[in-house]
Amino acid sequence: MIPLSWYLTFAAALFSIGLFGALSRRNMVAILLGVELMLNAVNVNLVAFWRYGDVAQMAGQVFAIIVFAVAAAEVAVGLALVISVYRRHNTVIAEELDLMKW
Amino acid sequence: MTTENLIWLIPLPPLISFALIVLFTNKNKALSHTVAISAAFLSWLGAMIVFVRALGVEHFGEHPFASSINWLPTGDTWLKVGVLIDPLGAAVLFFVAWTILMIFLYSVGYHNFGQPAGDHDHAGLPPHGATVHGHTVLSVEPMYSRFFAFISLFAFGMFTLVVSDSLLTLFVGWEIMGLCSYLLIGFWYAKPSARAAGIKAFMTTRIGDVFMLLGIAFLYSVTGTLSFREIFTEEILHTLASVPSGVFGLSAAGLIGLLLFIGTVGKSAQFPLHVWLPDAMEGPTPVSAMIHAATMVSAGVYAVIRMFPLLSMDEKTMTVVAFIGAFTAIFAATIAVAQNDIKRVLAYSTISQLGFMIAALGIGAYVAAAFHLITHAFFKALLFLGSGSVIHGMEHGVFHTGNHKVDPQDMFNMGGLKDKMPITFWTFLIGGFALSGFPLVTAGFWSKDEILADAWGHHHYIVFATLAIAAFFTAFYTMRQITLTFLGSPRTEEAKHAHETPWTMTTPLVVLAFFAVTYGWVGIPEHFPVLGPLVNNNWFHDFVGHTLEHVPEAPEFSWIPLLTSLVVALGGLGLGWFVYKDVKSVEQDKFQISFLKNKYYFDELYEVVFINPAYWVAENVIYKFMDQGVIDGVLHIFGPVTDKIGSAIRNYFDVPVVNQFIGDGSAEVAWWFGKNLRPIQTGRIQQYFILSLVVIFVVGGLLYYILTLA
Amino acid sequence: MDFLNTHLLSLILFLPTFAAVVILFLPSEESKLHRWFAFGASLIPFGLTLYLWNAFDPNRTGFQFQEQYAWYEAIGSNFHIGVDGISISMVLLTTFLTPLAILASFSVSDKTKAYFMLFLFLETGMLGVFMALDLLIFFVFWEIGLVPMYFLINQWGSANRNYASLKFMIYTMGGSLGLLLAIQMLGVLFGTYDLVTLYQNWNSLDSGTVLLGMPVHTVKTIAFWAFVIAFAIKVPLWPFHTWLPDAHTEAPTAGSMILAGVLLKLGAYGFIRLVLPFYPNEARMFSGALAFLAVAAIVFGAFASYAQTDFKRLVAYSSVNHMGFVVLGIAAAGLAAGTKDAHIAMSGAVLQMFNHGLSAAGMFFLVGVIYERTHTRDLNQFGGLFPLVPVYGGILIFTSMASLGLPGLNGFVSEFMVVRGAYPVLTVYTAVAMLGLLFTGAYILKGIKSVLHGPMNEHWAHGEHKLTEINTREILVMLPLMVLILILGIWPAWLVSVINQTVVALF
């Protein structure tokens, strides 16, 4: 059986790639993609810990499913916002969109 | 009707008359006086029937007419009130009924009934005359009906007092008369002098009344009853005499007697409460006759006579009574000598004569006091009404000449009225002679002689001498009055045009003159030379004497008092005539001594010693200093103090601590943080990411540090 | 009829409140409707009281027409009401005076709705005190009576009304404070507020007991003075009386009538109902002090009254003078409890309460009548008005004489009884009180002299200031008072025998 550390390493790598994407990319859609990667990294962790922990406890799987749902919702709302912002300001570059500045 | 029921009814007609006049007939003068006089007549009739029936009862003293009813529940017993006519009551009822009826009748003429209404007459002032065909004539009194209402109520009070069987009802009648005297003396209330006189009369007599009330309360609490017949039993009297009162070493009987006597001092105007009576001459003359001669002042003496069995239980009280009476008799007589107002002379004469009666009681001359009370009531009422008639006649003269500066009451403006007003003159002469004690024919002689005989016979020589001198003064000022008023020739134009008064006024004079002569004959002593055997026995002494359980002994006959009374009466009259027969004006009068004229300055003294200080104390000490100063002052301290405490709490706690530190401070802190943390809000999403990461690492690190390492 | 008989007291007590609530729903503009409705409504309790008087059996001791309902069970307080011979006469006085006061208020035209509502509430408050057989109920009604009177003075009074109403309120509240504490103490100690029960328990406490860490004697003394001061303020007794002249003077006419006629009696009633039965020993011990204060009220009240130039203030101080006699009677009854002197003094005190209610209400009304016409109360502004207003003058003299205590009118009977009862036990005090009686004459005559007698003040004789005679409505207010004054003066037995029976049983 593949040891747990492999999954964790994989998830960490995936999370770091996602984080890098979210922080470094200027395009809002790309930032969203980075966030999705991070979420999936968490999912991998959850499922892995479930499998290697107490299998009778379903919490790990349930959490993973909740994260899917949240992620789906987030993408839907996020993309809608991006489209809406693009229509108004004709741009999807994050740095140009400081509407929430004080 | 039984006599007892009849007695209950005697006081009622005047009361009903009062109510009727006040409520219904006050607009109609004729109806008002008809009602009042009818009422007085009914009471008179009842009184006469009772009197006659009383004469027919054997041993009336032991079996008087009496009945009583429960009046007031007091604990488990009742206070009873009722009526009582015993020999004394019957005798008093007789003269009261007569004088009241006569005075009622007289008032019709006195208040000018039938004359036109005055031109400028004003309710509250005496009538000023009306113009008819260019002549000024007397005008009718504007408050005619009211006068009859008041005197009706007054008559009710007097009848109540006479028929009552207990001190309580006696006091009720007593006070009702007090009210009426206030209302009647101040009848012409718009005159400040009359208004003041009314108040003076009421207040001065009230001083006596409150003492009397105390005496009644004392008597009631000791004996449990106020009924005369229950008090005057051997047993109760001895209890009262043996219980010490704790005041001045008097027995309970002595103190009660003294307290009740003070009531009489006020009511009968004895020294030192005599000051009200002369001022009371401000009232209309019938009032003077009624209040100051026949009824109210007599009521004071009547009360003492009534309470005689009680008073006589204590020697000290009797001495006080005798002293006050004798002193008043001579004191007032001297003042009367120097008065020029025809009514004021009579006023002081009344005080003096009442002093005679009180002195007589003080020396134990019960019957003599009662006798003089009755004869005096007749002749003094006659004199007052006569003086009213004179004044009325003089007013005729004043209206005739139109000189209103002439005082129709000043005797020095009169003179020679004998021919102008013959009926008034002759009746006045009879009254005056009775007052002086003119021998044999007048009532005053017999009663005064009996007092002197008693004083002599019971060895009260000081009282005897004092009264004899007072009697001399009495005869002197009486003759001065008669001479100045009626004899000689008129001193003023007004006196020349004086006019006899109408029949309503002269009839009462004649009736009273009749009694002023004849009433003396019922009390001729048995041992009097010549006349004594003729009348066989002293009826009055027998009749009234039996009111008491122990009939007082008539004094032995002695020539000394008889001769004394002859000398003082005739001497005084003679001297009076001799001195005044040629006096033409007030300057020639040698007796205008200012000390006497000003009544020994008692009014001024009282003003300075009692009245002004009382007002000053009331206003400045009690109201302004105590109530408004001290009590309200203390209260008003509460206000500012509470205010101070409140503002201290606000200034030193609420404002600095609560408001500034807690309230404002928290807001300021929040504001400072907000201001300084604002730049974090860049609106750049990726900066937020980084910030979040930093916070996660920091917080995570901290948590790790705390949870695992610490 | 059965319902009527079993709920008679409640009906009398709450009908005025009910009527007040009905007035709330009447249109605000209809002043005339308010007046007549309030007047009519106040007549019903009076009628019921007459029925009550008729059905009352004076020969039975104890309370009659008792009603008891659960009210505040947690602390043992019941809504318990009933009357005996003393309280029934006070109930009669209250229900008799209220319609007259309302009739006297017909000239009020400002905010009539509130005015008449307050009046009716006031009646309930006063009646409640007289009927209460439960300490807490007593206190509740005691305070209820205060509030309407505060507003009556404050809203419808004359110039200085704010000061007067505040003084009235604070003074009485100050007294209530001690009263409430003392009542609470009794309640805590015995777990009940019921008067009848408390009478027995409280007096059966023997002197060895320790209460609240103090000997029972000390506790009783403190509680005694707490009660006494509360009631003394209301009576008012010297030196707690200075609220009275201000309150009376500033209150509207009918307010003064009720204030003098009934509210002052609450204090005296408190003495009779609570102080003497609860503290017989203390009452005996301190009767000298009480009598001293009473005599001070009599004498100083008379003097102060004599010093006034304001007619209404003169009459107000006369209340201090007259109520002093009530307390003197109570002090004597406390000292001589169980004797005939006590019975006479106490009956006299209760009768004096009734009598003062009649004459003081009449006097205040008459002052109001002339004030309404002249807008002044300054005695120096009047003078010689008798010819202008002969009927008014006659009524004024009559009522003044009742106040002065003229025999034949009501005041004399009660003053005589008090003097008679107090003389054997409080001789010196009674003798000094006579000085007050003397000055009663002085101030009464001063009032008559300044208003009616003397040279006429021409200002009131002509033109727009012309003084008009007392009108029919005003005569109708005075008539019942005068009739009762006269009846009580001539034949007081019908009232005194009822009072007397209770007094003999209680004291």
Side-chain angles (χ1 to χ4, degrees):
Chain A
M1 197 169 169
I2 306 164
L4 178 63
S5 54
W6 288 30
Y7 291 98
L8 295 185
T9 313
F10 165 69
L14 194 59
F15 187 87
S16 300
I17 293 166
L19 182 62
F20 178 77
L23 289 177
S24 61
R25 297 300 299 262
R26 298 171 67 208
N27 191 318
M28 292 239 296
V29 180
I31 293 171
L32 269 177
L33 284 174
V35 171
E36 287 300 311
L37 281 182
M38 286 194 287
L39 284 172
N40 281 319
V42 172
N43 275 346
V44 170
N45 265 3
L46 284 169
V47 173
F49 278 122
W50 167 71
R51 185 66 189 78
Y52 284 83
D54 184 359
V55 184
Q57 288 278 346
M58 298 294 285
Q61 279 186 314
V62 171
F63 268 114
I65 290 167
I66 291 173
V67 174
F68 285 146
V70 170
E74 187 211 311
V75 170
V77 175
L79 284 177
L81 279 171
V82 171
I83 290 166
S84 170
V85 165
Y86 181 73
R87 283 191 187 152
R88 255 174 200 264
H89 301 277
N90 220 10
T91 177
V92 289
I93 306 302
E95 284 142 39
E96 292 168 10
L97 294 169
D98 55 355
L99 296 174
M100 297 290 280
K101 191 178 187 324
W102 47 277
Chain B
M1 197 184 319
T2 64
T3 313
E4 280 78 11
N5 286 347
L6 184 62
I7 297 170
W8 280 102
L9 293 179
I10 287 176
L12 288 186
L15 183 65
I16 294 167
S17 146
F18 168 72
L20 283 179
I21 295 173
V22 168
L23 295 177
F24 303 111
T25 71
N26 55 48
K27 296 274 187 289
N28 188 326
K29 294 184 169 67
L31 210 54
S32 295
H33 78 223
T34 312
V35 168
I37 292 173
S38 311
F41 178 75
L42 283 176
S43 292
W44 174 86
L45 196 65
M48 288 308 122
I49 294 171
V50 170
F51 184 70
V52 170
R53 286 190 189 170
L55 292 181
V57 178
E58 296 245 358
H59 302 296
F60 186 50
E62 285 104 85
H63 310 288
F65 302 129
S67 86
S68 61
I69 52 164
N70 287 342
W71 187 64
L72 190 71
T74 52
D76 39 13
T77 54
W78 284 78
L79 178 59
K80 286 169 176 266
V81 300
V83 294
L84 167 73
I85 290 293
D86 57 4
L88 175 66
V92 172
L93 190 61
F94 178 81
F95 88 76
V96 166
W98 270 106
T99 46
I100 282 180
L101 182 62
M102 288 304 114
I103 291 164
F104 271 53
L105 183 61
Y106 179 89
S107 301
V108 175
Y110 183 82
H111 287 303
N112 304 321
F113 180 71
Q115 297 288 106
D119 304 334
H120 307 290
D121 281 357
H122 184 300
L125 287 172
H128 293 91
T131 314
V132 177
H133 309 306
H135 292 288
T136 312
V137 296
L138 294 168
S139 58
V140 70
E141 166 61 47
M143 301 182 293
Y144 188 81
S145 298
R146 185 180 300 186
F147 183 82
F148 279 94
F150 287 169
I151 58 172
S152 293
L153 185 62
F154 188 95
F156 164 71
M158 189 64 198
F159 280 122
T160 307
L161 182 135
V162 175
V163 302
S164 62
D165 81 330
S166 74
L167 264 177
L168 187 80
T169 33
L170 183 141
F171 191 70
V172 170
W174 179 279
E175 287 284 295
I176 288 174
M177 281 197 288
L179 166 70
C180 293
S181 79
Y182 161 71
L183 292 171
L184 285 168
I185 292 166
F187 184 68
W188 288 312
Y189 53 76
K191 276 162 71 182
S193 60
R195 175 176 74 167
I199 293 176
K200 190 172 178 181
F202 197 97
M203 286 312 297
T204 316
T205 52
R206 197 173 168 85
I207 294 173
D209 294 350
V210 296
F211 282 103
M212 188 169 176
L213 188 63
L214 268 187
I216 294 175
F218 192 4
L219 180 65
Y220 186 25
S221 47
V222 179
T223 63
T225 177
L226 286 174
S227 158
F228 299 131
R229 275 158 59 79
E230 288 171 33
I231 297 167
F232 301 147
T233 52
E234 205 74 15
E235 197 185 337
I236 288 186
L237 286 177
H238 277 108
T239 323
L240 284 172
S242 53
V243 176
S245 69
V247 183
F248 306 133
L250 290 165
S251 64
L255 185 62
I256 293 168
L258 200 60
L259 288 169
L260 296 179
F261 175 65
I262 296 173
T264 294
V265 169
K267 210 66 162 181
S268 291
Q270 296 296 289
F271 175 84
L273 298 179
H274 62 281
V275 290
W276 66 271
L277 200 142
D279 287 24
M281 297 302 130
E282 288 289 342
T285 304
V287 171
S288 308
M290 183 121 126
I291 295 174
H292 314 116
T295 54
M296 194 174 93
V297 293
S298 306
V301 178
Y302 171 75
V304 196
I305 298 178
R306 261 277 169 246
M307 300 314 292
F308 180 78
L310 183 75
L311 261 75
S312 58
M313 298 310 286
D314 197 307
E315 266 313 305
K316 287 181 194 143
T317 307
M318 291 293 272
T319 313
V320 172
V321 172
F323 172 77
I324 296 273
F327 180 75
T328 309
I330 189 155
F331 164 82
T334 54
I335 298 176
V337 171
Q339 300 301 314
N340 296 341
D341 184 313
I342 186 169
K343 279 172 74 182
R344 272 181 191 262
V345 175
L346 294 174
Y348 281 104
S349 148
T350 306
I351 299 175
S352 162
Q353 294 300 306
L354 294 165
F356 269 82
M357 300 168 209
I358 300 286
L361 269 174
I363 57 172
Y366 176 83
V367 178
F371 193 28
H372 196 55
L373 172 70
I374 296 169
T375 57
H376 172 260
F378 280 124
F379 65 68
K380 192 49 70 62
L382 166 62
L383 285 172
F384 266 115
L385 296 185
S387 74
S389 180
V390 169
I391 295 163
H392 224 257
M394 284 296 290
E395 275 171 357
H396 255 289
V398 171
F399 282 131
H400 187 87
T401 60
N403 182 4
H404 287 276
K405 292 213 176 75
V406 173
D407 181 0
Q409 304 202 15
D410 190 336
M411 295 191 294
F412 283 94
N413 291 333
M414 301 175 190
L417 293 180
K418 171 167 62 80
D419 306 322
K420 312 284 176 202
M421 312 176 70
I423 305 176
T424 306
F425 167 64
W426 286 109
T427 52
F428 198 94
L429 191 71
I430 292 169
F433 276 15
L435 173 62
S436 318
F438 189 79
L440 304 185
V441 289
T442 63
F445 169 73
W446 297 110
S447 55
K448 208 176 279 182
D449 181 56
E450 196 169 339
I451 293 177
L452 290 175
D454 256 307
W456 183 263
H458 292 106
H459 314 296
H460 296 282
Y461 300 118
I462 299 172
V463 174
F464 175 78
T466 317
L467 293 186
I469 298 168
F472 176 77
F473 276 115
T474 308
F476 177 75
Y477 68 67
T478 309
M479 200 58 206
R480 170 179 181 259
Q481 186 175 31
I482 293 171
T483 314
L484 285 176
T485 309
F486 292 101
L487 305 182
S489 52
R491 276 180 227 94
T492 55
E493 199 60 25
E494 285 73 23
K496 276 183 196 146
H497 291 94
H499 200 285
E500 184 61 287
T501 45
W503 71 269
T504 45
M505 292 171 78
T506 51
T507 312
L509 295 180
V510 174
V511 171
L512 291 173
F514 171 77
F515 284 114
V517 173
T518 56
Y519 202 87
W521 300 344
V522 302
I524 298 176
E526 274 170 68
H527 306 294
F528 199 82
V530 190
L531 287 172
L534 218 65
V535 294
N536 191 0
N537 74 340
N538 184 343
W539 175 84
F540 190 83
H541 194 280
D542 282 353
F543 186 69
V544 173
H546 278 93
T547 311
L548 298 178
E549 228 163 300
H550 305 289
V551 181
E553 286 289 307
E556 289 287 305
F557 176 76
S558 161
W559 281 99
I560 296 169
L562 176 59
L563 284 178
T564 314
S565 71
L566 286 178
V567 168
V568 295
L570 294 175
L573 288 171
L575 189 68
W577 181 75
F578 180 74
V579 171
Y580 285 98
K581 68 179 178 354
D582 293 323
V583 168
K584 289 280 174 283
S585 70
V586 70
E587 286 79 28
Q588 295 174 10
D589 186 358
K590 294 180 193 64
F591 286 92
Q592 300 290 327
I593 304 159
S594 63
F595 202 58
L596 294 180
K597 231 180 143 45
N598 288 302
K599 318 138 202 169
Y600 296 105
Y601 295 102
F602 266 99
D603 280 340
E604 288 76 7
L605 182 74
Y606 287 175
E607 187 86 8
V608 173
V609 178
F610 297 117
I611 300 164
N612 292 343
Y615 192 78
W616 188 85
V617 165
E619 184 167 357
N620 293 310
V621 177
I622 291 180
Y623 181 56
K624 290 203 173 132
F625 173 72
M626 203 164 73
D627 272 18
Q628 295 206 314
V630 178
I631 297 178
D632 271 359
V634 169
L635 289 176
H636 291 167
I637 289 171
F638 279 117
V641 164
T642 316
D643 194 70
K644 284 274 159 21
I645 294 172
S647 50
I649 290 175
R650 179 171 170 75
N651 290 337
Y652 300 108
F653 183 76
D654 278 13
V655 173
V657 179
V658 178
N659 286 4
Q660 292 180 358
F661 187 74
I662 300 175
D664 295 357
S666 54
E668 225 154 281
V669 168
W671 188 78
W672 184 87
F673 273 100
K675 190 176 130 195
N676 289 301
L677 292 178
R678 197 169 58 174
I680 299 173
Q681 300 281 338
T682 55
R684 303 267 173 89
I685 194 159
Q686 282 156 331
Q687 283 183 6
Y688 294 168
F689 266 132
I690 291 167
L691 205 61
S692 310
L693 275 175
V694 171
V695 171
I696 286 170
F697 278 119
V698 171
V699 173
L702 275 175
L703 280 175
Y704 179 76
Y705 174 78
I706 293 165
L707 292 177
T708 57
L709 300 179
Chain C
M1 269 334 249
D2 213 36
F3 176 80
L4 186 65
N5 280 325
T6 49
H7 296 80
L8 194 50
L9 289 187
S10 305
L11 279 174
I12 295 173
L13 181 57
F14 290 114
L15 267 174
T17 310
F18 177 72
V21 174
V22 173
I23 289 184
L24 184 63
F25 295 104
L26 296 177
S28 319
E29 303 309 313
E30 300 283 334
S31 296
K32 205 170 168 185
L33 182 63
H34 301 152
R35 286 170 197 155
W36 284 102
F37 183 81
F39 179 60
S42 65
L43 281 177
I44 301 171
F46 177 58
L48 289 174
T49 309
L50 289 182
Y51 175 76
L52 174 75
W53 183 269
N54 202 32
F56 183 84
D57 177 6
N59 295 317
R60 258 175 55 200
T61 55
F63 295 96
Q64 298 180 34
F65 296 96
Q66 293 192 43
E67 290 174 46
Q68 191 159 6
Y69 310 101
W71 183 62
Y72 205 153
E73 277 177 274
I75 57 168
S77 172
N78 285 314
F79 188 86
H80 188 186
I81 54 176
V83 287
D84 64 359
I86 296 170
S87 44
I88 197 173
S89 48
M90 290 298 114
V91 170
L92 179 67
L93 177 69
T94 311
T95 52
F96 173 73
L97 279 183
T98 308
L100 296 181
I102 288 176
L103 190 61
S105 316
F106 273 30
S107 51
V108 171
S109 52
D110 181 30
K111 297 173 278 190
T112 48
K113 191 169 171 174
Y115 183 92
F116 289 106
M117 279 175 66
L118 285 172
F119 239 97
L120 291 165
F121 280 133
L122 185 61
E123 187 180 10
T124 297
M126 297 181 301
L127 286 171
V129 174
F130 293 133
M131 291 177 184
L133 290 182
D134 183 285
L135 274 179
L136 215 56
I137 298 291
F138 180 92
F139 186 79
V140 166
F141 281 112
W142 175 272
E143 296 290 307
I144 286 180
L146 203 60
V147 179
M149 190 43 89
Y150 170 79
F151 284 107
L152 283 174
I153 299 173
N154 190 271
Q155 294 297 306
W156 290 271
S158 43
N160 200 12
R161 61 196 185 204
N162 280 327
Y163 172 76
S165 56
L166 191 66
K167 201 170 176 181
F168 167 73
M169 192 76 174
I170 288 179
Y171 235 128
T172 336
M173 292 291 269
S176 310
L177 216 64
L179 179 66
L180 182 60
L181 282 175
I183 288 178
Q184 293 297 349
M185 191 192 75
L186 287 172
V188 169
L189 284 176
F190 297 105
T192 178
Y193 290 92
D194 197 75
L195 275 181
V196 186
T197 326
L198 280 173
Y199 283 157
Q200 292 152 7
N201 292 349
W202 183 235
N203 280 317
S204 60
L205 277 184
D206 63 55
S207 52
T209 325
V210 173
L211 287 178
L212 313 169
M214 284 179 282
V216 73
H217 167 74
T218 319
V219 176
K220 277 195 175 182
T221 307
I222 294 170
F224 171 77
W225 282 107
F227 273 85
V228 165
I229 288 174
F231 298 138
I233 287 175
K234 201 83 168 190
V235 167
L237 210 52
W238 189 89
F240 308 108
H241 65 286
T242 54
W243 65 270
L244 181 134
D246 288 313
H248 275 79
T249 313
E250 301 305 328
T253 299
S256 308
M257 285 171 75
I258 290 294
L259 194 54
V262 186
L263 276 184
L264 303 187
K265 276 73 205 174
L266 298 183
Y269 180 78
F271 272 109
I272 296 170
R273 177 61 72 231
L274 301 182
V275 175
L276 289 198
F278 276 140
Y279 309 98
N281 298 323
E282 285 73 17
R284 184 173 303 126
M285 204 182 337
F286 297 112
S287 63
L290 212 52
F292 173 79
L293 296 184
V295 170
I298 294 171
V299 175
F300 296 149
F303 269 96
S305 179
Y306 183 54
Q308 301 307 318
T309 51
D310 180 323
F311 196 13
K312 206 167 178 185
R313 212 166 247 275
L314 186 148
V315 178
Y317 264 110
S318 84
S319 288
V320 179
N321 171 257
H322 286 132
M323 291 305 287
F325 275 100
V326 175
V327 181
L328 182 64
I330 292 170
L335 181 59
T339 66
K340 190 171 178 179
D341 297 330
H343 298 154
I344 297 179
M346 182 54 85
S347 302
V350 178
L351 185 64
Q352 171 81 347
M353 284 158 71
F354 197 93
N355 288 341
H356 176 255
L358 300 178
S359 58
M363 284 305 286
F364 275 114
F365 178 67
L366 290 171
V367 174
V369 166
I370 199 156
Y371 177 67
E372 230 165 63
R373 287 161 173 70
T374 60
H375 304 289
T376 178
R377 296 183 305 248
D378 187 352
L379 286 171
N380 300 324
Q381 305 269 319
F382 299 130
L385 303 183
F386 211 163
L388 297 173
V389 285
V391 178
Y392 174 81
I395 295 175
L396 181 64
I397 290 179
F398 180 92
T399 318
S400 299
M401 287 304 141
S403 178
L404 178 144
L406 186 80
L409 302 177
N410 60 356
F412 170 72
V413 184
S414 47
E415 276 170 19
F416 173 71
M417 287 171 79
V418 169
V419 170
R420 155 66 185 89
Y423 185 86
V425 287
L426 296 164
T427 312
V428 176
Y429 292 113
T430 316
V432 176
M434 290 295 110
L435 189 63
L437 207 56
L438 176 67
F439 265 79
T440 309
Y443 69 71
I444 291 284
L445 295 191
K446 177 182 174 177
I448 296 177
K449 164 192 147 186
S450 307
V451 176
L452 295 177
H453 291 169
M456 191 196 287
N457 185 342
E458 295 291 330
H459 181 70
W460 308 115
H462 316 284
E464 55 170 336
H465 297 296
K466 187 166 165 52
L467 193 60
T468 48
E469 181 61 290
I470 185 168
N471 64 33
T472 315
R473 174 181 62 83
E474 288 159 342
I475 291 176
L476 280 179
V477 174
M478 285 310 295
L479 199 63
L481 289 173
M482 287 163 55
V483 169
L484 211 52
I485 283 172
L486 194 62
I487 290 176
L488 275 174
I490 295 169
W491 191 250
W494 62 272
L495 180 60
V496 180
S497 59
V498 172
I499 298 169
N500 186 53
Q501 295 286 350
T502 307
V503 167
V504 170
L506 280 184
F507 301 101

